[in-house]
């Protein structure tokens, strides 16, 4: 009896870990591609929030979660467009731009929500269904943890090798990585630095947008202000903790997701500790990780992260 | 024979500054054509116009009598023009192969670099260059990195190769080898445009076009010219930097290093037990390829970097790991190699930069408040004494030329030091006239009984200036030469890492 109870709890925690990791993986992979191109997009949180709202709105209006997802991807791409326009074309300070994007999203998502959904009492939208994978879903332990999830969750895990392949085995990936290390190499070969920055950042934004969509139409029927609740910031930390590598990003995302799942479970059981401590835990771990990392040297961080490119420079 | 490249009346302006004023010259097939001129003479600008990096405001550039419309480097590359930039354009964290292949048509959607690797290997074989295509560029020496740059241009199909100051960082042997291969390239029909200000190299070219202040002074056949004629054309007066200077009287030890060890920025050993003494009234020159511990040596001596082992004695007193402030107060001045990031606060004005470090002295402050009258007076005096060209003492240092910025640093360090001057690459990137001036000031200080330690990549500079030359390699002193027994051949080999005996053998073998 006790064993069964424990088993259910453990499976619950692990299954929740996989689910919670989904938006983190998308957002962190999107930010990874962006940062590999040398652009520091601190607007991940805002991009996710706008996409979460767009996903909700799209699903609400059409009754189709895929339409919602498409709209969320467009929203992510648009936010990223704004970012890269400021960073690559106007060459504005990237940190400030990213922070501004977050404020813009916080205000705008709330405004649009009020304008279009105010009259309704508690509007709800379609949510993506669970897609258990036949056969695999029935494997004890592994089945309920890995194979009784939603489509986007499977996609998130497939995106990790896909992004790796893109970055390290295709010509576009090579060019993106060069942008982050030394954009002048691209320029002296007569290729457009700006064009490639736009491509990378918008692609990253679309991925971040999918992460945002999962927060609404992948999980809950409602939209509430600030529904992303810091996941975008966590994605930024995950990129650093994952040392700018797709596999590292996956690992870091799983660690943070596990801590969150644990925290939910502990709240549920009713351990005699203020739950805020557990809410803060992932961020505490993030700080510890970053301190530990900074002492270890050899980082895969792009050398020109956050530094605008000017042709005349040496 | 018809020229392979014709530059006709090219003018390029940056805002109001005319960088090139109706410059014309021709390059023949199989020719090494040198562009000679001081900083700001417009050599690099004209080269970047030919490479499509800048768009000229007037004039034409033609290849094989066909006028080009160069909108970007890709247009130049298509016309067979390649360029090796003075500051290498490489990605250190990527492999040699990746660096060469980026942006070429070989880079297919899904990277398959076997064919590219074979073609690159063939180029290397042809010019007898050894290159490990799979090693990271960061693991290569500067000389090897230059080969990567050259092969990169050849791989793109360059027939006209622009080399911007190619030997700035090479040992004499590397540079000789480079020229031998330039000759081979030219024999196979290529043409090379060589940008340089080193007369020894310029003399190896076929023709020289001299630029001064953006204008062409003239084109001469190298064989029919001479170093002094070229200097005259370049500067407008006669200067001989190589002339030996009067030597001083060497006194007792001033700076003593005993087995000094320190780490580099990445935590790897940078100084490996350096032992060296600099005496009063002596100039010691450190010869070495950049990155062999020069920067770390100067930083450790001035207290900026921690010594992990060994001792520094300054004027008889132990100063190992003392604070920079203490060491400076004890009388040591430091001219760092990076003027604008370490030597100055670029956004501060000249007068503030001139008193940095002395701002707490009673001469410049009273009860914590700066005495601006005294500061302004000091700045006026320094600007006059060091012939700093600037609109006023309130001009931001960032707007100064390299030479004038260096003079601000020298003025400050000379004023604040009383016993010793350390100078890392003091003449890097400076015009010949300013270099001559710096050398004079340093010699004056030596005659005032200062101990002076200079690191330079220019062996000619050390030969004319130093009383003793030591060679640094991987954080150790690997050779020492008195000024009357300098052997540039051996110094070059030692700089490249050949040990003393091997160096002796190799030099015999090569001769």
């Amino acid at each position: 009896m006790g064993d069964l109870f424990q088993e259910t709890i453990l499976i619950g925690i692990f299954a929740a870990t996989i689910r919670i990791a989904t938006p983190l993986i998308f957002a962190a992979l999107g930010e990874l591609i962006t940062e590999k191109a040398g652009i520091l997009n601190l607007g991940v949180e805002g991009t996710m929030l706008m996409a979460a709202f767009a996903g909700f709105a799209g699903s609400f209006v059409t009754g189709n979660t895929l339409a919602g997802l498409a709209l969320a991807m467009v929203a992510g791409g648009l936010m990223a467009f704004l970012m890269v326009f400021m960073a690559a074309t106007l060459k504005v300070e990237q940190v400030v731009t990213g922070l501004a994007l977050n404020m813009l999203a916080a205000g705008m998502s709330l405004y649009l929500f009020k304008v279009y959904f105010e009259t309704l009492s508690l509007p709800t939208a379609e949510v993506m269904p669970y897609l258990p994978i036949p056969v695999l879903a029935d494997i004890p332990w592994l089945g309920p943890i890995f194979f009784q999830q939603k489509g986007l969750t499977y996609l998130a895990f497939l995106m990790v090798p896909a992004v790796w392949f893109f970055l390290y085995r295709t010509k576009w990936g090579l060019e993106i990585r060069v942008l982050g290390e030394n954009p002048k190499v691209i320029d002296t070969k007569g290729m457009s630095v700006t064009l490639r920055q736009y491509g990378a950042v918008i692609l990253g934004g679309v991925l971040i947008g999918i992460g945002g969509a999962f927060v609404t139409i992948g999980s809950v029927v409602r939209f509430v202000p600030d529904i992303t609740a810091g996941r975008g910031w966590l994605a930024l930390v995950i990129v650093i903790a994952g040392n700018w590598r797709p596999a590292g990003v996956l690992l870091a995302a799983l660690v943070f997701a596990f801590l969150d799942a644990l925290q939910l479970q502990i709240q549920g059981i009713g351990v005699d500790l203020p739950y805020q401590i557990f809410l803060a835990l992932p961020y505490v771990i993030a700080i510890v990780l970053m301190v530990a990392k900074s002492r270890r040297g050899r980082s895969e961080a792009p050398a020109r992260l956050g530094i605008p490119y000017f042709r005349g420079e040496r | 024979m018809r020229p392979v490249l014709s530059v006709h009346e090219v003018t390029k302006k940056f805002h109001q500054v005319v960088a090139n004023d109706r410059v014309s010259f021709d390059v023949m097939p199989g020719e090494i054509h040198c562009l000679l001129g001081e900083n700001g003479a417009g050599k690099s600008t004209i080269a970047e116009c030919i490479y499509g990096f800048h768009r000229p405001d007037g004039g034409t550039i033609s290849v094989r009598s066909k006028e080009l419309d160069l909108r970007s480097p890709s247009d130049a590359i298509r016309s067979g023009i390649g360029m090796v930039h003075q500051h290498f354009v490489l990605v250190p964290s990527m492999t040699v192969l990746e660096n060469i292949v980026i942006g070429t048509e070989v880079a297919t959607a899904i990277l398959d670099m076997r064919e590219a690797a074979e073609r690159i290997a063939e180029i290397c074989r042809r010019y007898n260059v050894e290159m490990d295509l799979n090693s990271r560029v960061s693991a290569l020496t500067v000389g090897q990195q230059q080969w990567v740059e050259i092969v990169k241009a050849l791989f793109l199909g360059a027939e006209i190769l622009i080399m911007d100051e190619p030997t700035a960082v090479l040992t004499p042997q590397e540079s000789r080898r480079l020229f031998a291969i330039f000759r081979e390239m030219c024999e196979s029909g290529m043409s090379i445009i060589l940008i340089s200000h080193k007369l020894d190299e310029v003399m190896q070219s076929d023709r020289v076009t001299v630029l001064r202040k953006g204008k062409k002074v003239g084109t001469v056949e190298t064989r029919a010219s001479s170093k002094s004629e070229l200097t005259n054309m370049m500067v407008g007066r006669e200067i001989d930097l190589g002339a030996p200077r009067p030597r001083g009287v060497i006194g007792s030890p001033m700076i003593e290093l005993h087995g000094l060890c320190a780490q580099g920025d990445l935590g790897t050993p940078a100084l490996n037990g350096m032992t060296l003494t600099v005496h009063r009234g002596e100039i010691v020159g450190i010869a070495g390829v950049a990155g062999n511990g020069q920067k770390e040596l100067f930083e450790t001596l001035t207290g900026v970097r921690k010594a992990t082992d060994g001792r520094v004695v300054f004027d008889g007193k132990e100063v190992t790991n003392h604070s920079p402030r203490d060491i400076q107060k004890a009388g040591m001045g430091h001219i760092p190699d990076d003027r604008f990031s370490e030597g100055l606060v670029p956004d501060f004005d000249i007068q503030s930069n001139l008193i940095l470090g002395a701002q707490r002295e009673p001469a410049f402050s009273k009860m914590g408040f700066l005495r601006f009258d005294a500061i302004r007076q000091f700045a006026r005096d320094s600007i006059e004494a060091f012939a700093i060209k600037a609109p006023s003492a309130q001009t931001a240092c960032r707007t100064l030329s390299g030479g004038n910025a260096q003079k601000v640093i020298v003025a400050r360090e000379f004023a604040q030091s009383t016993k010793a001057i350390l100078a890392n690459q003091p003449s890097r990137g400076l015009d010949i006239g300013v270099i001559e001036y710096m050398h004079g000031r340093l010699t004056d200080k030596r005659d005032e009984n200062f101990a002076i330690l200079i690191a330079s990549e220019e062996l000619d500079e050390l030969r004319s200036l130093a009383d003793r030359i030591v060679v640094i390699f991987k954080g150790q002193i690997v050779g020492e030469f008195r000024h009357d027994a300098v052997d540039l051949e051996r110094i070059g080999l030692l700089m490249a890492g050949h040990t003393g005996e091997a160096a002796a053998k190799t030099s015999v073998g090569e001769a």
Side-chain angles (χ1 to χ4, degrees):
Chain A
M1 173 72 188
D3 279 356
L4 189 64
F5 182 63
Q6 273 183 3
E7 194 180 311
T8 320
I9 287 179
L10 279 179
I11 288 175
I13 290 177
F14 286 126
T17 300
I18 300 300
R19 179 170 44 81
I20 292 167
T22 305
L24 298 179
I25 292 171
F26 276 119
L29 287 177
E31 180 67 11
L32 175 69
I33 294 173
T34 309
E35 291 193 10
K36 279 287 181 194
I39 295 193
L40 180 64
N41 183 356
L42 287 186
V44 190
E45 176 75 9
T47 307
M48 284 182 86
L49 185 56
M50 281 311 288
F53 173 76
F56 168 79
S59 175
F60 178 85
V61 171
T62 62
N64 184 337
T65 51
L66 287 179
L69 179 64
L71 202 60
M73 290 165 74
V74 171
L78 280 176
M79 289 294 278
F81 176 81
L82 213 53
M83 176 73 215
V84 72
F85 176 70
M86 302 288 273
T89 303
L90 302 182
K91 306 195 196 292
V92 178
E93 169 63 45
Q94 295 176 15
V95 170
V96 177
T97 307
L99 295 179
L101 280 187
N102 292 328
M103 290 188 228
L104 172 76
M108 195 149 86
S109 62
L110 188 60
Y111 171 74
L112 292 173
F113 182 68
K114 292 256 179 195
V115 167
Y116 292 104
F117 301 98
E118 184 78 302
T119 51
L120 304 161
S121 57
L122 291 180
T124 59
E126 281 294 308
V127 169
M128 294 178 173
Y130 282 97
L131 286 178
I133 296 178
V135 186
L136 293 178
D138 300 329
I139 305 173
W141 282 85
L142 297 181
I145 293 174
F146 289 107
F147 302 112
Q148 297 180 15
Q149 300 280 1
K150 306 200 173 192
L152 279 186
T153 302
Y154 305 130
L155 186 63
F157 282 81
L158 291 177
M159 282 312 286
V160 176
V163 166
W164 174 84
F165 189 84
F166 173 73
L167 283 177
Y168 293 92
R169 286 291 178 272
T170 70
K171 104 182 205 183
W172 303 292
L174 178 63
E175 287 169 15
I176 287 175
R177 287 185 294 130
V178 172
L179 285 180
E181 296 294 334
N182 187 357
K184 197 171 178 186
V185 171
I186 297 286
D187 201 11
T188 53
K189 292 255 178 128
M191 300 183 290
S192 166
V193 169
T194 314
L195 188 76
R196 283 165 182 75
Q197 285 173 333
Y198 270 81
V201 175
I202 291 174
L203 177 64
V206 169
L207 282 180
I208 296 170
I210 301 176
F214 191 83
V215 175
T216 47
I217 55 176
S219 313
V220 294
V221 294
R222 280 187 233 293
F223 179 84
V224 294
D226 193 29
I227 192 167
T228 44
R231 286 181 183 85
W233 295 110
L234 208 48
L236 281 164
V237 175
I238 286 169
V239 173
I240 300 169
N243 203 14
W244 288 271
R245 287 191 191 125
V249 161
L250 174 65
L251 190 68
L254 286 173
V255 168
F256 288 127
F258 174 74
L259 289 172
D260 200 21
L262 196 64
Q263 169 267 126
L264 285 173
Q265 192 69 42
I266 288 169
Q267 271 191 64
I269 300 171
V271 174
D272 191 19
L273 268 174
Y275 75 93
Q276 286 91 343
I277 287 182
F278 296 100
L279 278 180
L281 204 56
Y283 299 94
V284 173
I285 302 277
I287 291 169
V288 172
L289 263 177
M290 283 164 74
V291 170
K293 251 185 67 62
S294 71
R295 295 162 157 274
R296 216 179 41 196
R298 193 167 159 72
S299 151
E300 292 281 307
R304 302 270 308 181
L305 184 57
I307 305 168
Y309 175 69
F310 294 97
R311 174 169 279 191
E313 237 181 321
R314 300 218 144 136
Chain B
M1 207 157 38
R2 279 202 321 192
V4 61
L5 175 84
S6 298
V7 174
H8 184 66
E9 305 259 299
V10 165
T11 299
K12 175 69 195 171
K13 291 181 203 151
F14 293 106
H15 305 292
Q16 292 309 307
V17 184
V18 182
N20 289 138
D21 188 2
R22 282 169 303 159
V23 173
S24 304
F25 65 94
D26 287 334
V27 180
M28 295 296 169
E31 179 185 37
I32 299 183
H33 193 109
C34 184
L35 292 180
L36 176 68
E38 294 201 276
N39 293 306
K43 300 170 301 208
S44 289
T45 306
I46 193 84
E48 290 183 337
C49 285
I50 299 171
Y51 191 57
F53 226 59
H54 296 310
R55 211 163 158 70
D57 297 306
T60 59
I61 295 168
S62 336
V63 167
R64 294 193 178 84
S65 312
K66 219 180 92 195
E67 196 179 314
L68 302 181
D69 178 30
L70 297 166
R71 292 175 180 278
S72 97
S74 59
D75 295 327
I77 291 166
R78 258 197 299 280
S79 307
I81 301 169
M83 179 160 178
V84 174
H85 297 257
Q86 182 184 359
H87 304 271
F88 299 153
V89 188
L90 297 169
V91 183
S93 60
M94 292 184 185
T95 66
V96 172
L97 185 59
E98 282 175 314
N99 267 284
I100 295 174
V101 164
I102 298 161
T104 61
E105 76 279 7
V106 189
T108 43
I110 291 172
L111 293 175
D112 177 9
M113 307 213 266
R114 271 170 303 183
E115 196 203 311
E118 267 167 42
R119 269 176 58 195
I120 294 165
E122 200 185 298
I123 294 173
C124 291
R125 265 198 302 279
R126 196 154 127 210
Y127 296 107
N128 218 351
V129 180
E130 269 175 44
M131 207 188 281
D132 176 8
L133 294 181
N134 294 314
S135 64
R136 287 189 183 218
V137 167
S138 56
L140 303 183
T141 64
V142 180
Q144 290 168 321
Q145 289 184 17
Q146 181 152 53
W147 282 113
V148 178
E149 281 281 22
I150 294 171
V151 172
K152 204 166 101 177
L154 294 178
F155 187 73
L156 283 167
E159 290 169 2
I160 303 163
L161 186 61
I162 307 170
M163 301 285 307
D164 195 355
E165 309 259 354
T167 59
V169 289
L170 300 184
T171 65
Q173 285 81 7
E174 283 174 317
S175 126
R176 231 183 2 242
R177 170 121 191 279
L178 189 66
F179 272 88
I181 292 178
F182 281 171
R183 276 292 162 212
E184 271 181 53
M185 290 175 176
C186 288
E187 271 159 30
S188 67
M190 283 180 62
S191 303
I192 289 168
I193 300 174
L194 175 74
I195 299 175
S196 183
H197 62 259
K198 287 190 187 172
L199 289 166
D200 284 331
E201 287 164 26
V202 174
M203 294 315 288
Q204 300 184 48
S205 65
D206 297 306
R207 287 193 302 160
V208 185
T209 294
V210 184
L211 300 177
R212 195 198 311 159
K213 295 188 178 134
K215 288 191 180 139
K216 174 176 162 176
V217 181
T219 299
V220 294
E221 296 271 341
T222 314
R223 251 173 306 173
S225 187
S226 66
K227 281 191 195 179
S228 60
E229 188 198 2
L230 290 172
T231 315
N232 227 325
M233 286 172 81
M234 174 167 74
V235 191
R237 66 188 168 102
E238 298 224 11
I239 290 182
D240 187 2
L241 277 186
R245 293 171 173 276
R247 304 290 160 179
V249 187
I250 291 169
S252 53
M254 178 69 92
I255 306 172
E256 296 163 74
L257 316 185
H258 301 286
L260 194 64
C261 295
Q263 292 181 339
D265 290 335
L266 298 172
T268 48
L271 298 182
N272 299 305
M274 271 190 72
T275 299
L276 177 66
T277 305
V278 187
H279 303 84
R280 285 184 171 78
E282 182 185 37
I283 299 180
V284 172
I286 300 177
V289 177
N292 274 293
Q294 291 95 324
K295 185 183 167 65
E296 289 82 1
L297 170 65
F298 285 93
E299 289 182 356
T300 314
L301 282 177
T302 51
V304 178
R305 190 176 290 271
K306 279 258 172 295
T308 50
D309 197 6
R311 291 167 55 221
V312 182
V313 177
F314 183 42
D315 197 17
K317 291 185 202 68
E318 172 100 25
V319 295
T320 322
N321 289 337
H322 282 206
S323 75
R325 196 173 140 74
D326 283 352
I327 293 173
Q328 185 211 337
K329 276 189 124 170
M332 198 185 290
H334 179 207
I335 303 168
D337 62 339
D338 195 333
R339 270 160 228 146
F340 287 99
S341 78
E342 285 170 30
L344 295 168
V345 182
D347 286 328
F348 280 16
D349 57 16
I350 294 175
Q351 62 182 27
S352 306
N353 272 294
L354 278 169
I355 63 148
L356 277 183
Q359 70 275 17
R360 301 187 199 182
E361 300 297 318
F364 298 126
S365 70
K366 197 172 179 185
M367 296 171 66
F369 294 96
L370 292 172
R371 298 174 53 186
F372 278 100
D373 286 346
I375 293 170
R376 266 192 293 273
Q377 188 54 49
F378 174 71
R380 273 196 295 271
D381 293 348
S382 302
I383 287 171
E384 204 191 304
F386 287 83
I388 298 167
K389 278 183 217 139
S392 79
Q394 285 78 40
T395 306
C397 281
R398 121 182 83 75
T399 64
L400 297 179
S401 70
N404 284 306
Q406 185 74 324
K407 284 179 177 178
V408 172
I409 298 171
V410 169
R412 179 186 68 213
E413 296 302 319
F414 276 20
Q416 293 181 13
S417 59
T418 52
K419 291 173 186 166
I421 298 283
L422 310 178
N424 193 4
Q425 314 296 344
S427 56
R428 183 188 278 167
L430 299 186
D431 284 338
I432 196 163
V434 182
I435 295 174
E436 185 194 34
Y437 176 83
M438 290 292 164
H439 287 181
R441 298 305 294 242
L442 286 166
T443 317
D444 291 347
K445 278 286 162 187
R446 196 245 342 253
D447 294 340
E448 288 172 29
N449 243 347
F450 272 53
I452 297 178
L453 185 63
I454 295 177
S456 175
E457 285 159 358
E458 306 286 341
L459 293 183
D460 287 336
E461 170 173 45
L462 295 179
R463 185 163 57 170
S464 95
L465 198 58
D467 299 300
R468 195 151 49 96
I469 296 179
V470 296
V471 183
I472 190 171
F473 179 73
K474 291 198 172 158
Q476 278 179 324
I477 300 290
V478 292
E480 183 172 335
F481 300 83
R482 275 171 52 94
H483 72 86
D484 47 12
V486 166
D487 178 354
L488 288 187
E489 198 62 26
R490 278 201 58 205
I491 292 178
L493 289 168
L494 290 165
M495 282 166 69
H498 300 280
T499 54
E501 271 175 58
K505 267 187 216 152
T506 320
S507 65
V508 171
E510 275 191 359

